[in-house]
Amino acid sequence: MRNAGLPEPRGPQGADPQGEDPLERAVWRLRSRACWDDAAALLAPRAAAEPGPALLRTAVLTERCMFTGDGWGAAEDALRAAEALAADDEERGGAACERGHLAYASTLLGVRDRADEARSALGRAAALLAPGSPTRPLLHFRRGLIAQHLSDNPSDATAAFERAHAGATAQGQRLLLSFTWRHVAAMAEHEGRFAEARYGFGESLRIREELGYLVGIAPALASLAAVIDDPGEAARLRREAARLVRLLGGVPGWLAEQLAPPVPPAPPED
């Protein structure tokens, strides 16, 4: 499978990813511009005692791992702290979902094979979360990632992404919708349904631009460029993606490698 669906972070849930709390808005502005360390530092005081901020801090630091390939120890420490603070099934299920995602990221990026841990943690989350939990669509999405990238099971991946998409739509989770559109489109591309892929990648890009999710716009542009029929438009989209990657200091790292100009051959020696 092409890399259309590679490293995707968890975004804040809900129709407005910025939230109503001033701290949440500040964190969103930082993380959407790849300033994960600053976002985590803002959350640290409340994360020391409150399960919600602790879980959000874990998500921020795991997102940094996914985009940069660094910071695994800090993410693991934040996750253990969030697990220790969880006091009910919803909080414990959310923490298990984050553990599954961190283990998945470690496996996907070749840091350490934690595939069994990822599957086990997401299974635990499924058992803990209520059927109507707002975390359910995110759980479906992450199970789809494992089916797509670790199990190489396109049919299970498609079904999980479609469940996540339906849940995110019903609950108005717009940022998660940008992820589900992207991965539903990637599966359509894999199956040769390019018109559907173009539509899905276009919707993902539209939502991310509307939300100001700057760090996610370059991957959306690059994925759309890969299924556009017009070579000139595809080249323009890739140039814009490369510009945004440079603006963010080479983030995401996996996309920076894909968009890097080819190295010219060395001149022959005399």
Side-chain angles (χ1 to χ4, degrees):
M1 250 180 251
R2 195 178 61 80
N3 286 343
L6 276 176
E8 282 295 340
R10 172 195 176 180
Q13 297 183 19
D16 180 2
Q18 300 185 54
E20 298 179 359
D21 183 273
L23 176 62
E24 291 180 3
R25 292 197 295 272
V27 168
W28 167 250
R29 285 193 296 271
L30 289 167
R31 73 185 297 186
S32 65
R33 289 159 177 76
C35 301
W36 297 288
D37 288 343
D38 292 338
L42 276 183
L43 285 164
R46 284 177 55 182
E50 300 177 41
L55 201 60
L56 179 56
R57 188 169 185 271
T58 299
V60 166
L61 292 171
T62 301
E63 184 172 297
R64 178 178 183 266
C65 294
M66 291 292 286
F67 274 104
T68 69
D70 294 322
W72 302 95
E76 190 69 44
D77 289 345
L79 175 58
R80 283 195 293 267
E83 289 171 334
L85 287 169
D88 58 30
D89 283 351
E90 178 69 24
E91 291 168 357
R92 284 188 285 269
C97 193
E98 290 303 324
R99 178 160 291 283
H101 191 49
L102 183 59
Y104 158 79
S106 175
T107 306
L108 183 71
L109 298 183
V111 177
R112 182 159 62 90
D113 187 350
R114 299 171 60 181
D116 288 344
E117 179 187 352
R119 294 185 180 96
S120 176
L122 294 185
R124 188 164 64 255
L128 288 166
L129 295 170
S133 166
T135 307
R136 276 277 170 185
L138 179 65
L139 174 62
H140 291 317
F141 175 71
R142 288 176 172 173
R143 294 185 112 170
L145 292 177
I146 288 179
Q148 181 183 15
H149 293 301
L150 303 188
S151 302
D152 194 21
N153 189 328
S155 61
D156 281 3
T158 299
F161 291 142
E162 289 176 349
R163 285 194 296 272
H165 189 79
T169 300
Q171 298 194 31
Q173 298 176 1
R174 294 187 67 209
L175 189 58
L176 181 57
L177 265 178
S178 83
F179 303 149
T180 59
W181 270 123
R182 175 173 166 78
H183 284 267
V184 167
M187 302 311 297
E189 180 191 5
H190 177 64
E191 295 168 4
R193 294 181 280 113
F194 296 108
E196 293 178 38
R198 283 191 291 274
Y199 182 80
F201 287 137
E203 284 297 289
S204 177
L205 174 62
R206 177 185 62 79
I207 293 170
R208 291 178 178 196
E209 288 178 335
E210 288 177 356
L211 294 177
Y213 187 50
L214 185 62
V215 75
I217 290 176
L221 287 166
S223 293
L224 183 59
V227 295
I228 288 288
D229 292 327
D230 182 347
E233 177 64 6
R236 185 191 69 78
L237 293 174
R238 282 191 291 269
R239 285 195 301 271
E240 178 61 13
R243 185 188 71 81
L244 288 173
V245 169
R246 289 193 300 271
L247 178 66
L248 293 173
V251 173
W254 58 270
L255 185 58
E257 294 177 3
Q258 289 183 19
L259 296 175
V263 178
E269 296 182 1
D270 294 333

